Every structure is written in C-alpha cells, then in structure tokens.
C-alpha cells in the first residue's frame, strides 16, 4: 500500500512565469477510516525524526495537530512534510484519531502544499526570530513558526501560539491582528499589527487605550 502511495506523490510545476510549485499527495485512504473526517488549512510547525516514533506538528488558528509515522499516517507523508519549510501552508484531508483541549492526533490521508493558501506569509516571515521591547530591554520575545516565547531578564515568562487574522472582535475591523492563544479557557488577547518589517514591530492592544508597543531586533 505504501509503495502505491509513493507513486501517487506528485510535485506539479503549474506555473508560467513564476508561481510556486505545488506538492500534492493522496494516499487513497477513505475519510472516516480512523475517526471523524477533517479538512483544514494548516501551517507546518516542524517535524522530528530523531525519536522512537517520528512526528510532525501542524498549526491551525491556535490549535495544534500531531501526525505520527504509521500511526496511522503513511511514513512517506511525513517525509514529504519534512522536506518543506517552517510555516509552509498545507491543505489537508485527515481523520481525527484523538482530541485534546488545544490539540489533536490526526491521520493525514491527503495534502496539498500551495503558498497561496497563506495570505499573511510576508507578515509571518517578518515576525520570525528574536525581538526586544523598546521601552524595557529586559522583556524579550522569540518567534519560531507559530510559537512565541516571552522572557524577562532571560527567564521564561510565558508561551503562546499565535494566529494572524484580518481582524478580531475587539479590533472592530482594524487589522491585520495577532491573536495569542494561551489556554483553552480564556478569550485570547488580540493585538493590532500597526507595523511589521524585518527590523521593526509595533503592536496595539485591540480595545485598549491606544498605547503602542514597539519592538526591535536585539
């Protein structure tokens, strides 16, 4: 079955004059085989192969999907994911094997990588890396994929999963915004992205008093 699936992997260069190639994989497995059917657009957070059971992590609007090798996703699907970059946007067809508060184990049956699936790719790319709070350099942030880690004087303070969206309820149509998913019980904070460049980040809390929070590279 896996050998058949490998031959169903196709990289399609459907561009004339510059559009990015698409990766398309379909294992032929029927939806609903292992659990509740799922279709979603996700971002690749990364894959780890140096462990007993290799796995990949996918992000979707603050929610995390875990995909494990042959459990029951075919190994060649994980190999294809591992060949992509952090934040690569993917359409997936899958089954939910088990569900948690902010994550789920899934079996991926088909996927399509297409850069056009992420309208915020430039913003996301500019956010990656380390940032220092201008008003107090003791406060730093580090962005890797969709994960943000906050530190104070080098000590861990908080971690959350970020979502980039056109707007949120508190922003009243202003945007784009960064939504910080910290836990499954509380409403996630929403910050208006006033400016995002490779060297400058300016945020404003949606629904706040208008104070601007400015960050720079260390």
């Amino acid at each position: 079955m896996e050998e058949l699936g490998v031959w169903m992997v196709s990289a399609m260069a459907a561009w004339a004059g510059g559009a990015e190639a698409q990766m398309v994989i379909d294992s032929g497995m029927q939806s609903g085989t292992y659990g509740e059917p799922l279709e979603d657009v996700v971002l690749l957070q990364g894959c780890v192969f140096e462990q007993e059971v290799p796995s990949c992590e996918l992000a979707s609007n603050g929610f995390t999907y875990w995909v494990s090798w042959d459990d029951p996703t075919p190994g060649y699907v994980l190999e294809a994911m591992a060949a992509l970059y952090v934040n690569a946007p993917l359409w997936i067809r899958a089954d939910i094997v088990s569900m948690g508060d902010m994550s789920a184990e899934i079996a991926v049956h088909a996927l399509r990588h297409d850069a056009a699936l992420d309208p915020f790719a430039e913003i996301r790319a500019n956010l990656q890396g380390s940032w220092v709070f201008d008003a107090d350099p003791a406060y730093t942030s580090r962005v890797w994929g969709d994960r943000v880690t906050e530190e104070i004087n080098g000590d861990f303070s908080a971690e959350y999963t970020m979502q980039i969206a056109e707007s949120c309820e508190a922003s009243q149509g202003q945007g784009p915004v960064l939504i910080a998913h910290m836990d499954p019980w509380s409403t996630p904070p929403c910050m208006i992205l006033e400016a995002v460049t490779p060297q400058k980040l300016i945020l404003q809390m949606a629904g706040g008093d208008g104070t601007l929070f400015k960050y720079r590279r260390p």
Side-chain angles (χ1 to χ4, degrees):
M1 181 66 177
E2 180 155 332
E3 289 77 8
L4 175 61
V6 170
W7 289 107
M8 296 177 72
V9 177
S10 60
M12 303 187 307
W15 48 284
E20 186 172 331
Q22 296 182 350
M23 172 192 288
V24 178
I25 296 175
D26 192 334
S27 69
M29 187 64 68
Q30 184 176 353
S31 295
T33 301
Y34 299 107
E36 181 181 348
L38 167 74
E39 286 192 27
D40 201 355
V41 173
V42 301
L43 300 172
L44 176 66
Q45 176 69 16
C47 298
V48 179
F49 280 75
E50 296 77 21
Q51 57 188 15
E52 184 176 353
V53 180
S55 65
C56 293
E57 180 182 353
L58 309 172
S60 174
N61 298 330
F63 198 81
T64 299
Y65 296 122
W66 293 100
V67 188
S68 297
W69 183 287
D70 285 334
D71 190 25
T73 302
Y76 61 81
V77 173
L78 273 77
E79 290 177 338
M81 289 182 185
L84 297 172
Y85 51 91
V86 173
N87 283 332
L90 302 167
W91 168 85
I92 60 169
R93 179 174 61 82
D95 291 341
I96 298 174
V97 178
S98 64
M99 179 76 78
D101 289 330
M102 295 184 70
S103 65
E105 293 277 352
I106 64 173
V108 175
H109 303 318
L111 66 82
R112 183 179 82 252
H113 168 234
D114 182 354
L117 292 170
D118 182 13
F120 304 108
E122 183 177 0
I123 291 176
R124 214 179 300 279
N126 286 342
L127 284 170
Q128 301 299 302
S130 298
W131 295 94
V132 175
F133 186 38
D134 256 354
D136 188 344
Y139 290 81
T140 59
S141 301
R142 185 174 66 255
V143 181
W144 174 254
D146 72 330
R147 197 67 40 76
V148 182
T149 303
E150 307 279 357
E151 295 182 347
I152 303 175
N153 289 317
D155 295 325
F156 175 84
S157 174
E159 185 174 85
Y160 60 86
T161 301
M162 73 174 185
Q163 173 190 356
I164 309 299
E166 288 284 358
S167 63
C168 63
E169 184 176 353
S171 75
Q172 298 182 339
Q174 288 184 271
V177 299
L178 187 157
I179 303 170
H181 296 271
M182 297 182 176
D183 58 62
W185 308 284
S186 55
T187 301
C190 177
M191 292 159 280
I192 300 168
L193 293 163
E194 296 286 349
V196 185
T197 74
Q199 300 299 323
K200 179 176 66 176
L201 170 61
I202 303 176
L203 304 169
Q204 179 188 157
M205 184 64 70
D209 61 4
T211 299
L212 297 179
F213 299 91
K214 301 179 180 181
Y215 292 78
R216 56 176 172 79
R217 294 296 187 183

